[in-house]
Amino acid sequence: MKTYQLTGIGNAVVDVISQADDSFLELMGIEKGIMQLIEQERGEVLYASMESRVQTPGGSVANTIAGAGALGLDAAFIGRVHDDALGRFYADAMNEDGVDFVNPPVPGGELPTSRSMIFVSPDGERSMNTYLGISSELSSQDVPDEVAGNSQIMFLEGYLFDKEKGKAAFLEAARACHKGGGKAGIAISDPFCVERHRVDFLLLIENELDFVIGNEAEIKSLFETDDLEEALRRTSAICPLVVCTRSGDGVTVMNGDARIDVPVEKVVPVDATGAGDQFAAGFLFGMATGRDYETCARIGNVCAREVISHIGPRPEANMLELLREEGLV
């Protein structure tokens, strides 16, 4: 039976990326810099408005798993796509990236494959407009026990908390992973996602998970505070490992009573899409290969720096070579 160093569960979303200035965003009624959920009709309007589209398999945790796979981990992704052109594109692309896409595309008349229209501003900010489609219907039936129970690390996507069956899938996956001796953690995903599901998030983190990865705004939203230090203290009190990215201010890792602050090299982003996802890829690669948490964070920073240097949410460079140049592998 195959074992995986890293398995992710999340929305299987085709990312459609285009560049747009602030006046275009205002004209189209797009709120800058955040992720908005949209209906299918709105998605078709925005898709038609995009010029010079770049189409890639996406989804936050899927991007992380693909990045970790590019670093050489044995990786799998659990997600739900329709048996349509976009769904087949998604499944094939993940497999071609070296990640086992363990769920075959779903035939029949269910919802279309999910897609996110991402508009990248000249300052590198991305405005995401996501039609969730079939991916949000993921349930326990989509989580094979033989995959979850044979994963060294299980990484969950907070966005899937919007439906009860997604929450149930998370619980079963985390417990199966623990039963097999693995560790489970979550990408908080978005402050607005936390606001919708704060109680469930906190219960899951405290009772079922071994680590949490989020940015400053997401960590603060867990306890409804503007004080990052308070948020870090309270989160680390209920979770063994808390990883907080703070953009140009570096990364803070809380491991019990121990705290590590790792600086970053400040660069002007070409496209911030996927920065957090690829940081997580590098950090989890470090965890899966037995490195200390400071080294994990430094690897994550290199991965994030590479992905913001170009358009698109996944690495283009040979990441192992970059890490060797930094003396990290």
Side-chain angles (χ1 to χ4, degrees):
M1 185 176 296
K2 184 167 184 178
T3 60
Y4 294 100
Q5 291 170 289
L6 178 64
T7 297
I9 301 179
N11 282 309
V13 183
V14 177
D15 285 340
V16 187
I17 305 169
S18 179
Q19 294 181 300
D21 58 23
D22 289 357
S23 62
F24 176 86
L25 299 181
E26 185 176 351
L27 175 67
M28 298 301 294
I30 298 169
E31 190 168 348
K32 184 177 178 179
I34 68 167
M35 194 283 288
Q36 292 181 299
L37 297 178
I38 59 174
E39 298 300 322
Q40 185 174 359
E41 184 176 351
R42 169 74 167 162
E44 291 171 355
V45 170
L46 293 181
Y47 183 85
S49 74
M50 304 178 86
E51 296 183 356
S52 302
R53 307 181 191 101
V54 176
Q55 183 172 289
T56 65
S60 176
V61 164
N63 288 335
T64 294
I65 301 305
L71 287 167
L73 290 189
D74 287 326
F77 181 68
I78 296 170
R80 192 171 178 85
V81 298
H82 187 81
D83 189 13
D84 53 18
L86 280 180
R88 291 187 292 273
F89 161 78
Y90 191 99
D92 290 344
M94 290 293 284
N95 288 322
E96 288 167 7
D97 283 344
V99 174
D100 284 357
F101 188 77
V102 300
N103 305 90
V106 180
E110 209 172 346
L111 295 170
T113 295
S114 309
R115 72 286 313 266
S116 181
M117 278 60 68
I118 303 172
F119 297 88
V120 181
S121 308
D123 60 3
E125 280 290 328
R126 81 275 196 213
S127 307
M128 305 171 67
N129 300 265
T130 304
Y131 167 61
L132 287 178
I134 195 175
S135 68
S136 63
E137 299 299 315
L138 185 138
S139 70
S140 300
Q141 294 181 347
D142 298 301
V143 182
D145 286 341
E146 65 272 17
V147 175
N150 288 283
S151 298
Q152 180 181 338
I153 298 173
M154 177 70 65
F155 195 42
L156 314 173
E157 182 176 313
Y159 285 133
L160 279 175
F161 258 57
D162 279 316
K163 295 197 175 180
E164 290 300 320
K165 53 189 174 183
K167 297 176 189 178
F170 276 8
L171 282 173
E172 291 189 21
R175 290 170 181 172
C177 180
H178 283 146
K179 187 176 180 181
K183 293 185 176 182
I186 195 168
I188 297 177
S189 296
D190 188 286
F192 300 106
C193 191
V194 174
E195 288 175 13
R196 294 193 295 271
H197 309 291
R198 184 171 286 106
V199 172
D200 286 336
F201 258 109
L202 292 174
L203 286 172
L204 182 76
I205 290 168
E206 182 171 11
N207 298 312
E208 306 287 348
L209 299 183
D210 304 289
F211 65 91
V212 171
I213 299 178
N215 64 30
E216 183 175 353
E218 293 161 357
I219 295 293
K220 290 192 293 188
S221 69
L222 283 173
F223 291 98
E224 298 180 272
T225 177
D226 290 327
D227 185 337
L228 178 60
E229 293 305 315
E230 179 189 0
L232 286 170
R233 177 181 56 79
R234 295 180 68 180
T235 309
S236 64
I238 64 171
C239 188
L241 178 63
V242 181
V243 184
C244 178
T245 58
R246 297 181 288 120
S247 192
D249 293 326
V251 179
T252 297
V253 181
M254 305 288 288
N255 179 29
D257 294 330
R259 173 176 177 147
I260 304 166
D261 290 296
V262 181
V264 296
E265 176 186 339
K266 293 185 179 181
V267 296
V268 177
V270 173
D271 173 15
T273 307
D277 303 337
Q278 293 310 316
F279 170 84
F283 193 94
L284 294 174
F285 166 79
M287 282 181 59
T289 53
R291 289 164 167 85
D292 63 80
Y293 292 136
E294 180 177 353
T295 301
C296 291
R298 291 176 63 198
I299 293 172
N301 287 341
V302 173
C303 293
R305 186 180 69 209
E306 190 280 338
V307 82
I308 66 174
S309 69
H310 57 77
I311 299 292
R314 297 188 177 186
E316 292 182 351
N318 184 317
M319 293 309 303
L320 282 176
E321 285 187 7
L322 287 182
L323 295 178
R324 289 191 190 101
E325 292 172 5
E326 298 280 344
L328 294 172
V329 296

